[in-house]
Amino acid sequence: MNNAAPESELNARDQLIEAASQIMRDGDQVDLSLSELSLRSGLNSALVKYYFGNKQGLMLALLERDMRNIVNSLDALLAKDLPPDEKLRVHIRAVIGTYFRFPYLNRLLMRMVRDAAPEVSRKIADDYLVPISNAYERLIEEGVQKGLFRPIDAGLFYFTVTGAADRFFSARLVLHHCFGQSEMTEQMRDDYADHTLDIIMPGLLVNPGSA
C-alpha cells in the first residue's frame, strides 16, 4: 500500500515552510503571525494545525529543513578525497552561505532549544548539534594526524564558526544604522567568507603561512 501523501499536500506543506522562512528573512525576526503566513503563502492558516500541529511544529519543520542541509552537506564533504584544511575552507564558506540565505537560523535554533519541551530540545541537539560537533572532531583529528592542524577543542570550534557566521548576518540593523549598508549582497557574503577564513585558519594551522 502506498502511504505517501499526495503531491498537492506535499506542496502545500512545503509552501508553508518556505513562506515562514521568507517572513523571517525579510523581517529579520524569528517569529511570525498566522495571518501573515496565510497572506504570504496564499494558503489557509488552518493548514498549520493540519500539517504541523501548531506554530511551534511549523518552526521545528523549518529548522529541520535548514539544519538537515548543513548536516548532510558536512557528511558529504567529509567523505570527499580532499585535504582536511581544504575541507574546512569549503565548509566554512558553506556555513556562511547558509546564514546569508537564512539569517534567522541560529536564533531560531536557540529559541527552539530554549522554549521547546526537554525531549524536543534533546532531539534537536541529537539530530543537528551533536553530529556537527562530531564531524568537526573527526575533521580536526584528521588534520592533526596529517600534521596540518593544532589540536583544538571541537566543541569550542563549533561555537567559533557558528558565532562568526550568525553574528554578521543577524546584524542587518547594525549595518544599516552604523555603516549605512541597507542590504546584504553576495559580494559582502564572499568578502566576509574571505575575512573569516583569514582569521580562523591561521589559528588552526600548524603552519599559518599556508592559510
Side-chain angles (χ1 to χ4, degrees), residues 6 11 17 34 62 73 79 91 110 119 150 153 156:
N11 286 340
I17 293 173
L34 294 182
L62 174 60
S73 63
H91 172 67
M110 293 300 101
E119 61 273 16
R150 298 186 300 108
D153 186 290
L156 296 179

Side-chain angles (χ1 to χ4, degrees), residues 28 167 170-181:
D28 194 23
R167 183 59 181 163
S170 65
R172 192 167 66 185
L173 291 177
V174 174
L175 285 171
H176 173 68
H177 292 299
C178 295
F179 303 103
Q181 182 70 43

Side-chain angles (χ1 to χ4, degrees), residues 2-183:
N2 186 357
N3 292 320
E7 183 177 355
S8 60
E9 290 194 9
L10 292 175
N11 286 340
R13 183 181 188 277
D14 291 344
Q15 286 173 32
L16 289 168
I17 293 173
E18 179 56 27
S21 177
Q22 291 175 2
I23 290 168
M24 290 195 286
R25 285 200 304 266
D26 294 347
D28 194 23
Q29 62 195 52
V30 288
D31 200 4
L32 52 84
S33 69
L34 294 182
S35 59
E36 187 178 13
L37 181 69
S38 178
L39 183 64
R40 182 68 67 101
S41 67
L43 298 170
N44 192 316
S45 61
L47 289 174
V48 170
K49 183 175 182 179
Y50 177 74
Y51 287 116
F52 309 104
N54 52 34
K55 189 167 73 171
Q56 186 183 71
L58 170 63
M59 297 297 195
L60 284 169
L62 174 60
L63 187 66
E64 159 71 19
R65 185 197 72 172
D66 295 345
M67 288 299 299
R68 181 55 54 195
N69 286 334
I70 294 178
V71 174
N72 289 345
S73 63
L74 184 54
D75 288 342
L77 180 63
L78 287 175
K80 290 184 177 181
D81 185 19
L82 293 172
D85 56 330
E86 182 60 24
K87 289 180 182 178
L88 195 55
R89 290 186 182 93
V90 170
H91 172 67
I92 290 174
R93 286 191 182 278
V95 171
I96 288 172
T98 296
Y99 280 87
F100 173 73
R101 294 192 304 275
F102 312 120
Y104 57 80
L105 183 53
N106 195 57
R107 285 173 291 166
L108 177 61
L109 175 66
M110 293 300 101
R111 176 179 175 176
M112 298 310 297
V113 169
R114 181 194 67 211
D115 294 346
E119 61 273 16
V120 175
S121 299
R122 182 70 260 170
K123 186 176 188 304
I124 291 172
D126 290 343
D127 287 350
Y128 314 125
L129 305 183
V130 172
I132 292 172
S133 181
N134 288 343
Y136 284 172
E137 188 170 354
R138 288 167 52 198
L139 183 55
I140 291 168
E141 180 59 28
E142 180 185 359
V144 170
Q145 291 178 358
K146 291 181 181 296
L148 295 172
F149 295 165
R150 298 186 300 108
I152 64 170
D153 186 290
L156 296 179
F157 187 75
Y158 164 82
F159 287 107
T160 299
V161 173
T162 302
D166 169 66
R167 183 59 181 163
F168 186 64
F169 296 111
S170 65
R172 192 167 66 185
L173 291 177
V174 174
L175 285 171
H176 173 68
H177 292 299
C178 295
F179 303 103
Q181 182 70 43
S182 59
E183 290 188 21

